[in-house]
Amino acid sequence: MLLGRAANGLFWVSRYIERAENMARLVDTGLRLSLTEISTASDEWGSVLSSAGVRGAFEATHSEYSTLAVADFLLRDLTNPSSVLSSMETARMNARMVRTTLTREVWEAINEAWMTFRRLLTSPVDERDLPAVLDAIKRETALIRGTFQGTMLRNEIFEFAQLGTLIERADNTARILDVKYFVLLPSAAWVGSMLDTSQWQTILRSVSAHRSYRWTYEGEYSPANVADHLILNRRMPRSLAFCYHGIAGGLDALGQDYGSQQPSYDVAINTLANLQDTSIEDIVDRGLHEFLRSFIRDNARLADQIATDYRFN
């Protein structure tokens, strides 16, 4: 059995790498929304900061919203523990602590991503360069995941790292989808308009789900279909249902390895069952924003329960 400290290190290496990528995706969402030029910068970037859960921290040190200020806070600011640079620094530090549990390829991919991020984010990123920098961040984190999937033995080390990835991914998909709640249309009459559709397309593109959505729904855009794709579609690798299918499977595998199932397994199974038994119509009737906020809280509680069950310290 792994020591709790090692399990904790693996869990958080993966969470912080996933967080770095998803913070880049949130910036990408804000950048695309700002191109519509319908609402104000505070509406567009405020929605991104609210969804990331760092609006208060941003407003404590900044007096105005701008693409440069928000992107700098989310990408480079080391006082923001969720920024891309902070996340990658913490991920590498945790990876060093559990270096002997990782293959050489995984460690090298993490180290190279860390060096790349430090180089790209040495100084504030010009708005014209943001798309290329965001693509580079997503590419480097994808390389880490690729080496991890391709070289790691499927044992408890793999499972703890996967749990970290999927817990963080579920949290971030819910947050990115919730951005749409905060981005107000000029009036209720704009619901279903080209602007409304464009904003939903932006949400899909920010999680690399635009093409898979078109395959699944034959190009018909509707808020309910987008929410269905990102919440309930188990074939979509960033959906909440896909993440919880993997989380439940990982906790089941750990339970079998250790000889007993822990309370966190029951929590994950219940959440997965709720997702499987819920229709998108039920979620819309309840309120998409309320559903997502509730899910984010429950997902955080599951992470705490996993830490308790496996004695992270």
Side-chain angles (χ1 to χ4, degrees):
M1 176 182 290
L2 272 179
L3 292 174
R5 184 178 180 186
N8 182 53
L10 290 160
F11 184 77
W12 279 102
V13 166
S14 297
R15 283 202 72 166
Y16 276 111
I17 290 169
E18 189 73 17
R19 186 171 299 179
E21 175 178 338
N22 283 292
M23 204 53 65
R25 291 183 180 279
L26 272 170
V27 174
D28 189 40
T29 305
L31 192 62
R32 291 177 187 273
L33 288 172
S34 69
L35 297 177
T36 62
E37 297 182 346
I38 295 295
S39 50
T40 65
S42 60
D43 287 337
E44 293 147 357
W45 288 111
S47 68
V48 170
L49 291 164
S50 295
S51 298
V54 295
R55 187 166 187 166
F58 176 83
E59 291 178 344
T61 54
H62 297 75
S63 57
E64 63 179 32
Y65 293 90
S66 68
T67 299
L68 185 62
V70 176
D72 199 65
F73 185 71
L74 295 178
L75 295 180
R76 300 179 59 247
D77 196 331
L78 292 175
T79 67
N80 172 14
S82 295
S83 73
V84 169
L85 209 50
S86 293
S87 295
M88 202 60 216
E89 291 277 359
T90 310
R92 182 174 178 273
M93 183 175 65
N94 278 281
R96 288 186 68 175
M97 289 169 48
V98 295
R99 170 71 185 84
T100 56
T101 67
L102 304 174
T103 62
R104 176 178 59 82
E105 289 83 356
V106 172
W107 165 250
E108 289 179 354
I110 292 172
N111 208 38
E112 287 172 12
W114 173 73
M115 290 189 289
T116 300
F117 290 4
R118 283 171 61 93
R119 176 175 54 78
L120 290 173
L121 303 174
T122 300
S123 57
V125 182
D126 188 274
E127 188 171 341
R128 292 170 301 180
D129 299 328
L130 262 179
V133 170
L134 298 177
D135 283 347
I137 292 169
K138 287 183 275 187
R139 187 165 55 249
E140 290 292 334
T141 51
L143 284 171
I144 296 172
R145 277 199 307 277
T147 54
F148 187 86
Q149 292 288 337
T151 65
M152 292 292 292
L153 184 68
R154 268 45 174 178
N155 58 5
E156 57 190 339
I157 294 171
F158 180 88
E159 300 298 349
F160 280 117
Q162 278 294 97
L163 286 174
T165 295
L166 295 172
I167 288 280
E168 188 69 24
R169 183 178 298 175
D171 175 89
N172 282 278
T173 295
R175 290 179 185 277
I176 289 173
L177 185 52
D178 204 29
V179 167
K180 185 66 172 72
Y181 170 81
F182 295 99
V183 181
L184 300 178
L185 293 170
S187 71
W190 286 69
V191 173
S193 66
M194 287 186 66
L195 173 62
D196 192 27
T197 299
S198 172
Q199 290 176 345
W200 284 110
Q201 289 175 339
T202 294
I203 298 296
L204 286 169
R205 285 195 171 92
S206 65
V207 292
S208 302
H210 186 253
R211 183 160 296 180
S212 65
Y213 177 90
R214 291 174 64 88
W215 289 336
T216 306
Y217 300 93
E218 298 180 348
E220 182 182 347
Y221 291 100
S222 76
N225 283 349
V226 174
D228 183 70
H229 196 47
L230 299 184
I231 296 174
L232 301 178
N233 190 342
R234 272 182 51 182
R235 295 185 176 185
M236 164 52 189
R238 305 194 75 83
S239 75
L240 308 189
F242 179 93
C243 291
Y244 264 77
H245 182 71
I247 291 167
L251 289 170
D252 183 34
L254 286 174
Q256 292 181 36
D257 286 347
Y258 291 170
S260 65
Q261 296 294 353
Q262 299 297 319
S264 53
Y265 173 70
D266 295 330
V267 174
I269 284 292
N270 287 335
T271 301
L272 179 60
N274 287 335
L275 289 170
Q276 290 173 335
D277 294 340
T278 301
S279 70
I280 198 60
E281 289 77 16
D282 293 335
I283 293 173
V284 171
D285 287 345
R286 176 180 169 184
L288 181 58
H289 173 67
E290 288 71 20
F291 171 84
L292 293 171
R293 289 288 112 183
S294 175
F295 175 86
I296 290 169
R297 288 192 295 272
D298 291 344
N299 191 55
R301 278 196 284 270
L302 174 60
D304 291 341
Q305 188 63 53
I306 291 172
T308 300
D309 291 348
Y310 292 99
R311 300 177 178 83
F312 289 2
N313 51 39

